[in-house]
Amino acid sequence: MFSGSIYFINKGTIDINEHQYSENRSVNLPISIGIVKETSDNENRVALVPDDAKKLVAKKMEVLVQSGAGSSAGFLDAEYVSAGCKILGESKDVISIANLIIMLGRPDAQDLSKFKPKSTVVGQIYPLRFQTLVRDLARADLTVYSLELLPRTTRAQSMDVLSSQSAVAGYRAAIIGAYNSPRLMPMLTTAAGTVKPANVLVIGAGVAGLMAIATAKRLGALVTAYDVRKAAGNDVRSLGAKFLEVGFNAEGAGGYARELTEDEKNKEKEMLETAIISSDLLITTAGVPGKKAPMIVSAETISKMKVGSVIVDIMAESGGNCELTQRGKIIDHNGVKIIGSINPQSEVPINSSQMYSRNVSSFLSILVGQDGNFVEPEKDELLAACMICNGGKVTFPPMVNEGEGK
Ligand code: NAD
């Protein structure tokens, strides 16, 4: 049974050896949640915030938090302690004890041997991009749920991490663009003359794009947007922006965009060039699920943009929508600033952590049953849809079908 030991923070030192858990502790506390400090570049967010941790503790779950896990997002250890969590010194202390590790991203391959076999991991793994890691997760005998694979259904809406984080990313993209632009965004009529509003073009009007449009509008810019899905036109117009029609509709399965044919790509390039050249700020957010970001803005087109124009490409992580985008870098190309923004949501870590944490809490309401035990993945369609490893095997259909990961 659980020894009842209390973890403590004392001038930053924690003696975990004093507090041994016996093998049978799960009889009393079946779910022991672990929150670690995220390790990927420039990551400030934390997967669970104290307010939500408190609710899980109230449901008789144990929450173990690595010291400092939330500090970059403004959530200090003391707040987790007040919420009833236990603070441990290092990530290895957390992952070797907890049986449900909740992350924003994915575990580091070198840490997998420290996880308890048969533990559950919840994060955003992007299995097609990290296939070797997925096989290693299966070999480590972990059950892994990758939240970005949840279907965009009404039931899954409260768990939709893609929407919550993309909304923040879109907002931030507009702010980054305005901040880096040598122009004002709004029209100003002053005694010193009239300033014209900036022209903002947003490519990709999904969740992030719509938030970028709304934010640029609030800043006073003249906003135009484009998407290959015709249905996006109504959303764009409802925000008071102009929608560019390309003359075909590339809506594919599940309401997402499909990849364009070569002919469609040429039409798109032709139609967009004038709009890109006349924009002061270009924000690119176009994605096709499971694929590299489509390359939409060529180096040749960028060369025709005005000096002082700014491009914010928030698809830099998955290859970028612009040919000259460099992941995580700001470059200058003949006076055009190209910002290869990665993880813009991490620059607003308080709210993006709160939103992710709420999504995760909602996911836990289906992962953990009324009896306080894990629900079998096959008993819930949402669990089954986002599970990528279980029972020592890769269960993610595209990889299994390739005969990999066994
Ligand atoms: P995403 O991040 O995959 O893509 C962003 C946008 O880029 C999409 O609107 C897509 O159409 C567009 N795009 C792709 N290729 C393009 C190209 N070559 N040129 C221009 N634009 C291109 O998508 P997302 O923002 O995560 O979601 C988009 C879809 O999901 C929409 O249909 C949205 O309504 C739907 N959705 C539904 C729910 C829900 O019902 N719960 C929640 C969120 C999103």
Side-chain angles (χ1 to χ4, degrees):
M1 144 181 174
F2 174 48
S3 68
S5 304
I6 294 173
Y7 287 88
F8 58 91
I9 335 166
N10 184 10
K11 294 179 190 142
T13 57
I14 286 150
D15 185 359
I16 177 166
N17 295 325
E18 281 182 29
H19 309 288
Q20 294 299 326
Y21 282 70
S22 79
E23 279 301 303
N24 295 329
R25 57 182 284 282
S26 61
V27 173
N28 279 350
L29 284 174
I31 307 279
S32 174
I33 296 171
I35 306 297
V36 289
K37 191 161 180 61
E38 301 289 325
T39 53
S40 55
D41 292 351
N42 305 323
E43 185 56 82
N44 296 315
R45 294 169 295 169
V46 62
L48 189 72
V49 302
D51 275 356
D52 293 325
K54 191 174 178 177
K55 292 176 194 151
L56 298 174
V57 170
K59 289 183 184 164
K60 306 276 178 264
M61 291 182 224
E62 178 177 53
V63 183
L64 308 172
V65 180
Q66 180 188 353
S67 180
S71 57
S72 307
F75 302 104
L76 303 181
D77 287 354
E79 293 177 66
Y80 285 101
V81 171
S82 300
C85 306
K86 299 180 174 101
I87 304 292
L88 300 183
E90 293 180 46
S91 67
K92 67 177 166 45
D93 302 331
V94 174
I95 59 182
S96 61
I97 297 172
N99 59 6
L100 169 57
I101 317 294
I102 300 173
M103 321 182 74
L104 269 147
R106 58 200 76 82
D108 290 332
Q110 69 269 22
D111 288 341
L112 293 183
S113 60
K114 296 171 201 143
F115 280 79
K116 278 205 321 205
K118 307 213 179 300
S119 303
T120 297
V121 177
V122 174
Q124 296 175 93
I125 315 293
Y126 288 89
L128 285 177
R129 239 187 270 165
F130 299 96
Q131 300 201 13
T132 307
L133 176 69
V134 174
R135 285 184 212 106
D136 291 345
L137 289 165
R139 262 184 228 115
D141 200 6
L142 300 172
T143 298
V144 184
Y145 295 99
S146 201
L147 296 181
E148 81 286 357
L149 299 176
L150 281 167
R152 309 302 265 288
T153 57
T154 307
R155 185 170 166 244
Q157 228 161 16
S158 60
M159 311 162 197
D160 186 349
V161 293
L162 285 182
S163 286
S164 71
Q165 302 306 298
S166 294
V168 180
Y171 161 85
R172 190 66 179 174
I175 301 294
I176 293 171
Y179 179 75
N180 279 280
S181 173
R183 290 179 171 279
L184 292 165
M185 292 290 116
M187 183 176 94
L188 288 188
T189 309
T190 75
T194 299
V195 176
K196 285 191 199 160
N199 283 311
V200 174
L201 174 64
V202 177
I203 298 182
V207 179
L210 291 173
M211 189 56 93
I213 294 166
T215 308
K217 283 290 292 177
R218 281 183 215 130
L219 291 172
L222 271 183
V223 186
T224 304
Y226 161 70
D227 198 291
V228 287
R229 290 179 301 111
K230 214 175 165 70
N234 287 339
D235 299 333
V236 169
R237 284 185 284 265
S238 74
L239 292 170
K242 185 178 160 198
F243 186 66
L244 296 176
E245 300 274 359
V246 72
F248 57 81
N249 183 14
E251 182 153 334
Y256 285 107
R258 57 163 171 78
E259 264 185 315
L260 302 187
T261 62
E262 280 311 309
D263 186 40
E264 286 170 338
K265 279 184 195 163
N266 289 335
K267 277 198 186 123
E268 175 179 75
K269 184 171 180 287
E270 216 171 274
M271 189 274 298
L272 275 179
E273 189 165 273
T274 315
I276 293 171
I277 294 169
S278 55
S279 66
D280 301 303
L281 169 59
L282 170 63
I283 299 172
T284 59
T285 74
V288 177
K291 307 271 181 207
K292 199 169 169 285
M295 209 291 283
I296 299 170
V297 187
S298 67
E300 189 193 344
T301 305
I302 295 172
S303 299
K304 295 179 190 165
M305 290 176 80
K306 291 173 289 191
V307 169
S309 306
V310 175
I311 300 175
V312 181
D313 186 351
I314 64 165
M315 300 310 286
E317 187 72 65
S318 52
N321 291 141
C322 304
E323 193 175 354
L324 299 179
T325 295
Q326 289 187 29
R327 184 187 175 280
K329 296 213 170 117
I330 300 181
I331 61 159
D332 185 295
H333 180 76
N334 300 336
V336 177
K337 205 185 253 192
I338 305 163
I339 303 171
S341 176
I342 46 167
N343 203 358
Q345 51 276 40
S346 171
E347 295 169 21
V348 197
I350 294 182
N351 300 115
S352 50
S353 299
Q354 285 167 331
M355 292 161 91
Y356 187 88
S357 174
R358 192 53 66 86
N359 293 146
V360 159
S361 301
S362 177
F363 183 71
L364 294 195
S365 71
I366 61 164
L367 179 65
V368 180
Q370 296 292 336
D371 60 357
N373 285 301
F374 286 109
V375 171
E376 295 295 318
E378 59 276 10
K379 297 226 165 97
D380 190 297
E381 56 178 4
L382 296 181
L383 295 180
C386 68
M387 187 178 73
I388 58 168
C389 301
N390 191 26
K393 291 193 174 129
V394 173
T395 54
F396 179 55
M399 287 179 69
V400 171
N401 291 340
E402 284 168 22
E404 293 173 321
K406 296 284 170 85

